[in-house]
Amino acid sequence: MAADTLLPGNYLPSACPGIVVVHKSHPRIHGVLPVPEEEDVEAEFQWDPQSKVFTVVNATCYPCYTYLTFLGTDVRDRRGRQFEAGTTRSESGEEQPATTFVVVAAPLTAVRLGFVEVGPPADFFGIPLERLVEPGPPASGLPSLLPGPQEVPGFCFPLPASDGPYLCTQGVGGHLTHFFPESYYAIDLRCRNGTPVLSIADGIVKEVAESHKCGGIHAANLAAWNSVTVILDCGFIVDYLHTLPGSARFKAGDVVRQGQVLCESGDIGFAPEPHLHIELHDSNDADGPSLPLSFGHGRCAFVPVAGRWYSPDGEASPPPGTESVGLHEDLQLEPPPQRDFRDSRRSKTGRRTVRFGSFALKRKWTLARQSADCKPSSTRSSGDSAASEHTLQACPAEASGGECGREGLVCDGDAVRKSRPHSSGFFPGGSP
């Protein structure tokens, strides 16, 4: 790759099989439609039983984002081709195919994602639309203890030279998981499971979380990562994510030195492949916006960019036999059609709306709809049972990570049937 070439979105599509990143649009989806301001939209996630197209509707006046996973069902693009499926792994180690959409919807737009045959054995998981906040200035929130200009210093590279070089699969502002303030300046580096993770500076271990074993592309895994967190002597806090369970060499309160092995990298949480995710914060605002992170010092400092290889000394040549990184085929197609949202909702049989469960995302998202109860909302008839609209409300037990033994509703063709008890944010049931 040429030195001046950047991958669109600063992420590597080949590193996230089964994930479709839709930032306002995508050439393979069914279309992006305007939503009139006067339109009364009651559900963010909609499925039309006639067209069988699944739609994310942002009826607000600000951009929003969501993560949505389809399990046990094909999702097809506007040309009838199946979107690539990836893999998700449960805490018990069970693997199954999945397709996940990362959607950023512009204000007052309906994003028509794909053709879905809703019904058994399909499972769905959706994170309610969250307002997308633009990252603040890079220097905001820097600790006052830093001498001279308020700039973040360069740090030791977090992976050993002996196992490198390492491919950066997502950089600053990456469209996969780095596009909101909390992780905007994070860096993802591809590395095999078990690669030693090194402390980038001297500090004290704040927290070790290594109880999870799940992995893959399920959106629920966004709340189930393993990590080691260190408060650095220079006034910052650094998070190392996706680490292997039981691999931590230190416990909270231990002193660590630059270059010491903290733990081992892995593929735990929302991890399409094994990699290390590292991000920096102000130690006085650990849950706030991330801060710029660079490795090396002075003129040798560098910030990894998606699609390029790195060692502790900076950008490096790819290993022999490594395929060149090119644009994803999805980026070569013509843009999706633009139509009117009201036209897309016209149906002889009416439309059926489904709202999926919510999940509390550790640090990144607030607990959604705590006051919603588990019962489906009232069914409103439009003269025919097939034209009735049904909404599945979020369950507070699910949102807190527990289980709910009550029944929900699931759309099955033109019928609405009861599902088995649901848990962990699914309609119908199933654990991520």
Side-chain angles (χ1 to χ4, degrees):
M1 175 182 294
D4 59 349
T5 301
L6 293 177
L7 288 170
N10 205 7
Y11 82 104
L12 191 60
S14 60
C16 45
I19 298 178
V20 184
V21 177
V22 183
H23 268 239
K24 299 182 180 178
S25 186
H26 188 284
R28 289 183 61 185
I29 64 173
H30 286 241
V32 180
L33 318 176
V35 177
E37 290 191 55
E38 68 275 9
E39 187 74 24
D40 182 18
V41 177
E42 296 186 357
E44 301 162 344
F45 304 146
Q46 300 181 7
W47 177 77
D48 188 321
Q50 182 180 29
S51 69
K52 300 187 183 296
V53 173
F54 188 93
T55 302
V56 174
V57 183
N58 178 15
T60 72
C61 294
Y62 42 80
C64 291
Y65 68 93
T66 181
Y67 287 74
L68 176 67
T69 296
F70 293 83
L71 295 166
T73 186
D74 294 341
V75 184
R76 299 189 177 276
D77 66 12
R78 61 191 178 98
R79 295 182 174 181
R81 300 179 303 168
Q82 181 179 346
F83 283 107
E84 178 185 14
T87 303
T88 187
R89 183 182 69 248
S90 69
E91 296 284 6
S92 63
E94 180 183 359
E95 294 188 352
Q96 64 180 129
T99 303
T100 291
F101 288 83
V102 182
V103 180
V104 172
L108 297 172
T109 59
V111 184
R112 304 179 76 236
L113 295 178
F115 178 92
V116 182
E117 285 282 2
V118 174
D123 281 338
F124 308 91
F125 181 94
I127 295 173
L129 284 177
E130 181 87 2
R131 181 172 182 173
L132 181 58
V133 179
E134 294 295 329
S140 62
L142 296 186
S144 58
L145 58 87
L146 285 176
Q150 297 294 285
E151 296 180 356
V152 180
F155 293 101
C156 170
F157 198 68
L159 298 170
S162 58
D163 285 17
Y166 304 91
L167 179 64
C168 177
T169 56
Q170 187 178 195
V172 175
H175 282 187
L176 182 62
T177 56
H178 297 176
F179 55 88
F180 37 85
E182 292 84 353
S183 64
Y184 185 83
Y185 291 104
I187 300 295
D188 288 353
L189 298 167
R190 175 186 287 172
C191 50
R192 62 173 177 80
N193 279 334
T195 301
V197 175
L198 311 180
S199 180
I200 62 173
D202 297 346
I204 298 176
V205 176
K206 178 180 184 290
E207 180 183 10
V208 174
E210 54 179 2
S211 63
H212 292 291
K213 298 180 180 179
C214 62
I217 65 171
H218 200 298
N221 292 347
L222 286 159
W225 65 67
N226 288 346
S227 63
V228 174
T229 302
V230 178
I231 301 175
L232 304 179
D233 292 347
C234 58
F236 298 102
I237 188 168
V238 59
D239 293 320
Y240 308 83
L241 275 65
H242 307 303
T243 60
L244 290 180
S247 69
R249 310 287 178 88
F250 297 90
K251 64 182 184 301
D254 286 349
V255 174
V256 296
R257 299 302 179 192
Q258 178 177 304
Q260 282 189 299
V261 176
L262 296 173
C263 56
E264 296 176 2
S265 65
D267 62 348
I268 307 301
F270 190 74
E273 64 174 16
H275 72 281
L276 174 68
H277 170 110
I278 181 170
E279 64 184 47
L280 193 70
H281 294 263
D282 181 346
S283 58
N284 295 317
D285 189 13
D287 297 337
S290 59
L291 300 177
L293 175 62
S294 62
F295 305 109
H297 298 278
R299 294 183 178 181
C300 296
F302 61 95
V303 178
V305 173
R308 302 181 190 176
W309 295 80
Y310 295 88
S311 72
D313 295 325
E315 188 168 356
S317 299
T322 302
E323 295 183 4
S324 61
V325 177
L327 298 181
H328 196 278
E329 65 169 347
D330 290 351
L331 303 174
Q332 309 299 321
L333 304 179
E334 67 270 21
Q338 308 284 322
R339 295 189 299 173
D340 188 273
F341 180 57
R342 286 168 291 195
D343 292 339
S344 71
R345 295 172 58 184
R346 293 170 185 167
S347 169
K348 293 181 180 180
T349 59
R351 66 181 176 87
R352 181 167 298 123
T353 300
V354 180
R355 175 172 291 162
F356 300 97
S358 63
F359 199 92
L361 293 183
K362 183 170 48 178
R363 289 190 181 177
K364 303 301 178 188
W365 289 273
T366 58
L367 184 63
R369 297 182 175 86
Q370 295 185 39
S371 60
D373 73 33
C374 187
K375 294 192 303 180
S377 65
S378 59
T379 301
R380 298 176 298 174
S381 174
S382 58
D384 183 270
S385 61
S388 300
E389 178 181 303
H390 299 274
T391 302
L392 297 183
Q393 299 288 355
C395 171
E398 292 172 327
S400 61
E403 293 193 3
C404 173
R406 303 179 66 174
E407 292 180 330
L409 297 179
V410 61
C411 292
D412 182 5
D414 287 332
V416 177
R417 60 181 175 81
K418 286 188 176 182
S419 73
R420 54 194 171 91
H422 52 273
S423 64
S424 301
F426 283 88
F427 289 96
S431 296

